[in-house]
Amino acid sequence: MATYIFGHKNPDTDSICSAIAFEHFKTEVGENVKAMRLGEVNKETNYALSYFDVQAPDFLEKVADETEVMLVDHNEFQQSVDNIEHAQILEVIDHHRIANFETSDPVYMRVEPVGCTATIIKDMYDEKNITIPKHIAGMLISAIVSDSLLFKSPTCTNRDIEAAKALAKIAEVDVDTYGLDMLKAGADVSDQPVSAWISGDAKEFMMHGSSVEIGQLNTVDPAEIYKSIDEIKEEIQIIIENKGLSLFLFVVTDILNNDSEVLAIGPAKDNVEAAFDVTLSSDDRAVLKGVVSRKKQVVPNLTRAFES
Ligand SMILES: [Mn+2]
């Protein structure tokens, strides 16, 4: 049976496109692998898939015991496939913190502090002198544009920019034009229900023994999103009760101005004030100037606030 390759639940463009690219890379080196997805493909990713005429991977809900898997773009078990604890994890290619991860057997891990998993995979192609076909270059550059918010996120490194430059030539796109079109396609959420805004990109974290969920929504107009604040709050309250969360932080990121407007709900919402040195408004919102990265800005600051 083929080894499954997948990114995290609520997959973003990096999780889908890196799984597709890593499937191609592994197939080129003679391994039997299959890219999968752990959730719905979002609109931004769909834009990339249709632009480069690539099929979305099949959906995988849970794995049987001892299933051989490779993780891309994540390692924390609560973000992974159901029953990951009993799977055989062969490899991890990632660019996130290591947490809630354990194996009984040796594992190949390649975790680097770059802006995108796709940047690491691009380097793996180069190291093995494997030619990157146009559609795979398209997948990789889409992931880099997405994770780096077109190179404006503080997570973006020179290696991501260099990789994107090389990939743009192979993919035959102007990265600024293509990238903005792709981000805008993802930021158009007008036809989605409020529940999709909140949960579409949500990730769970353990912070000093507390369960915290952080959802992020990219938009060109945060005010438009917060017109539905009553409905947003109701939906979040249900999630908090169902999962016993200490905090749900909804991060609405303005992709044109590179700020975020957050909504903090739950018994530990005071930690948001401490983490970002802000005061929540009467409806539990605050503007975080220059904050666009959940991984590099939101999670570390919030984790420290929970620990102190
Ligand atoms: Mn990523």
Side-chain angles (χ1 to χ4, degrees):
M1 201 178 94
T3 297
Y4 290 140
I5 298 172
F6 46 81
H8 52 76
K9 282 181 174 164
N10 294 332
D12 60 6
T13 299
D14 190 21
S15 268
I16 297 289
C17 293
S18 283
I20 291 168
F22 203 50
E23 175 194 78
H24 176 267
F25 173 84
K26 282 289 180 184
T27 305
E28 288 290 291
V29 298
E31 295 185 34
N32 180 21
V33 298
K34 183 167 168 35
M36 303 296 284
R37 62 180 166 87
L38 303 190
E40 289 298 311
V41 173
N42 68 33
K43 284 172 87 173
E44 181 194 277
T45 311
N46 252 326
Y47 182 90
L49 292 172
S50 37
Y51 190 97
F52 290 101
D53 200 16
V54 175
Q55 287 284 329
D58 290 339
F59 176 66
L60 180 65
E61 186 173 16
K62 110 179 250 201
V63 290
D65 289 1
E66 303 307 319
T67 304
E68 294 189 336
V69 301
M70 296 177 181
L71 312 186
V72 293
D73 197 36
H74 74 298
N75 65 83
E76 301 191 39
F77 281 178
Q78 78 278 8
Q79 297 169 4
S80 198
V81 74
D82 290 357
N83 200 39
I84 186 69
E85 299 82 358
H86 301 115
Q88 286 272 358
I89 302 172
L90 304 183
E91 300 196 13
V92 178
I93 314 295
D94 193 13
H95 67 131
H96 293 90
R97 71 174 190 179
I98 310 290
N100 297 314
F101 177 84
E102 194 173 52
T103 61
S104 45
D105 291 293
V107 58
Y108 176 91
M109 290 190 89
R110 183 155 175 172
V111 181
E112 299 184 59
V114 291
C116 186
T117 307
T119 299
I120 304 170
I121 295 174
K122 155 80 166 67
D123 285 355
M124 294 174 84
Y125 273 96
D126 292 348
E127 288 158 14
K128 286 227 180 320
N129 274 314
I130 296 170
T131 304
I132 303 177
K134 180 182 172 182
H135 72 286
I136 295 295
M139 296 296 93
L140 293 168
I141 197 168
S142 299
I144 296 171
V145 164
S146 172
D147 270 13
S148 72
L149 276 181
L150 206 42
F151 316 119
K152 285 181 290 193
S153 169
T155 58
C156 184
T157 69
N158 281 331
R159 275 178 58 198
D160 301 298
I161 295 167
E162 289 306 314
K165 271 189 199 159
L167 291 164
K169 285 194 190 127
I170 305 168
E172 296 171 33
V173 291
D174 174 80
V175 66
D176 292 315
T177 310
Y178 171 77
L180 196 58
D181 285 348
M182 188 195 80
L183 291 177
K184 279 186 179 162
D188 175 18
V189 295
S190 51
D191 62 340
Q192 291 173 9
V194 164
S195 59
W197 300 354
I198 295 162
S199 297
D201 178 59
K203 287 184 182 177
E204 268 187 77
F205 301 87
M206 286 302 291
M207 297 187 182
H208 203 64
S210 297
S211 292
V212 176
E213 188 160 326
I214 305 175
Q216 187 170 26
L217 183 70
N218 288 343
T219 180
V220 291
D221 187 4
E224 187 63 33
I225 298 298
Y226 279 118
K227 277 184 186 165
S228 309
I229 186 154
D230 292 340
E231 205 183 331
I232 292 170
K233 281 185 160 180
E234 271 173 41
E235 291 278 348
I236 290 177
Q237 205 62 53
I238 293 167
I239 296 169
I240 289 176
E241 279 160 29
N242 286 345
K243 296 186 176 175
L245 302 174
S246 298
L247 173 68
F248 190 108
L249 188 66
F250 183 48
V251 181
V252 178
T253 299
D254 183 334
I255 59 168
L256 299 182
N257 295 310
N258 301 307
D259 297 321
S260 290
E261 186 162 358
V262 298
L263 171 67
I265 312 222
K269 70 180 181 187
D270 287 357
N271 281 323
V272 175
E273 299 193 324
F276 303 101
D277 196 19
V278 292
T279 306
L280 292 172
S281 65
S282 56
D283 57 0
D284 301 314
R285 286 153 66 182
V287 173
L288 309 185
K289 281 276 166 203
V291 170
V292 297
S293 169
R294 173 169 47 195
K295 176 169 64 177
K296 199 150 186 166
Q297 296 171 304
V298 178
V299 172
N301 283 317
L302 202 51
T303 302
R304 273 191 287 278
F306 271 87
E307 284 166 353
S308 63

